[in-house]
Amino acid sequence: MNLSDSRRDFMKKAALATAGASLLPYSSFSEVKRKNKLPAWKGFNLLDFFSHNPDQGRPTKPAYIQWIADWGFDFVRVPISYPSYLNIDRSRPIRPDEVLNFDESRLEKVDALVERAIQHGLHVSLNLHRAPGFCINAGFEEPYNLWKDQEALEAFCAHWEMWAKRYRGISSKRLSFDLVNEPFQRENPNDQHSPGGPVDVVDYHRVAKAALETIKSVKKSRLVIADGNGGGGIAVPELADLDLSQSCRGYHPFPISHYKASWVYKDPESVPPVDWPLQQGENSLDIDNIRNYYAPWKALIDQGVGVHCGECGCYNQTPHEVFLGWFGDVLQVLKEMEVGFGIWEFSGAFGVLNSGRKDVVYEDWYGEKLDRKFLELLKAQI
């Protein structure tokens, strides 16, 4: 495939950024005093390609990347819905013969975001939030099942081979691959409120191993991450024999992080009020409960598996002071484990900008609504 001028320019710039990375003060993989093999990157998810329809994406303003870097953060995760970079008819469900219809012009938009982040010294984690045959969000009609069908697995590996080849020239210190977002099996894939649970670990191991081998065949040093099972929260020691780090979540307890979230509760207004510590029956959930929750992840770190928290934060319906009290404890526990974090979105309902909370006095930040208390809580971890 012939590269366009913009694509060539990107690869040249990426190579220069990678070469220059060794000259920057950086939390190196070789730090001997840290037990966690992964750097404690701290930053945000960017949702430019989160929608399957590229016209409904949420573009990251150039100033956002600048502010993330200026405020001292060093990480962005880019969750991608794979149809967003395909040339397909989006008025109907995708067909098996269309899942590899890569659209170069749309791929170059991903390139541009990756390039901007790298130029500002940020580590980029590229994630398939919706992959061929699976998405944790209900309502998508996939032509097959990633966890069961060989055809889906082959398409999944083909996507990762494309990304691996495309970014072969970028150092693993600047770019990692997060295989698939939050493995989960739902009884009814078309109902967001349908019950479900973890993917069979045998199936998860098979899928992760195949994708890992595909990526490593292109660039052996590429850092690859697997999300926790059961929606991201369950550590997967069964993957420890693979050259994979793992990504946990910072949403425990869920009644606080997703208070009155419409995609979680059928009747959000019936949800009882929350406080922190959280009283559940005779039990009071506090920071020690959070430590217990993360104990399996700490065990992975002790076993030599790198761990990062790829998503965390709180929906904007949780009272602000409750959110800050609870999340301060989450950040404290992650810090104790030497685990970094990625807040779910920079600007939006979970973000430090434009969250839409009704109980916050926002600071006017160049025309954006800044939650200063939340930002300072995060900066205190840097």
Side-chain angles (χ1 to χ4, degrees), residues 284-325:
S284 179
L285 306 188
D286 55 15
I287 191 170
D288 287 332
N289 175 267
I290 295 174
R291 290 191 179 102
N292 291 335
Y293 172 79
Y294 284 108
W297 294 97
K298 179 63 166 60
L300 276 184
I301 293 172
D302 292 342
Q303 192 177 345
V305 177
V307 173
H308 186 263
C309 184
E311 286 186 26
C312 56
C314 191
Y315 187 50
N316 64 8
Q317 296 303 300
T318 304
H320 196 237
E321 292 306 313
V322 174
F323 157 47
L324 294 179

Side-chain angles (χ1 to χ4, degrees), residues 24-35:
L24 297 173
Y26 186 77
S27 52
S28 168
F29 293 124
S30 63
E31 288 179 346
V32 295
K33 293 184 179 180
R34 297 185 72 255
K35 198 162 191 178

Side-chain angles (χ1 to χ4, degrees), residues 159-194:
H159 278 256
W160 278 120
E161 181 179 31
M162 180 274 293
W163 287 117
K165 290 180 176 179
R166 194 170 187 90
Y167 297 145
R168 189 195 327 240
I170 303 178
S171 165
S172 291
K173 289 187 176 182
R174 289 304 179 204
L175 177 74
S176 58
F177 292 155
D178 181 349
L179 292 177
V180 59
N181 183 72
E182 300 177 355
F184 192 80
Q185 293 192 118
R186 202 180 301 277
E187 290 182 9
N188 181 358
N190 290 315
D191 181 3
Q192 189 69 31
H193 302 291
S194 174

Side-chain angles (χ1 to χ4, degrees), residues 275-288:
D275 204 346
W276 185 252
L278 180 66
Q279 197 69 31
Q280 289 195 328
E282 297 181 356
N283 298 319
S284 179
L285 306 188
D286 55 15
I287 191 170
D288 287 332

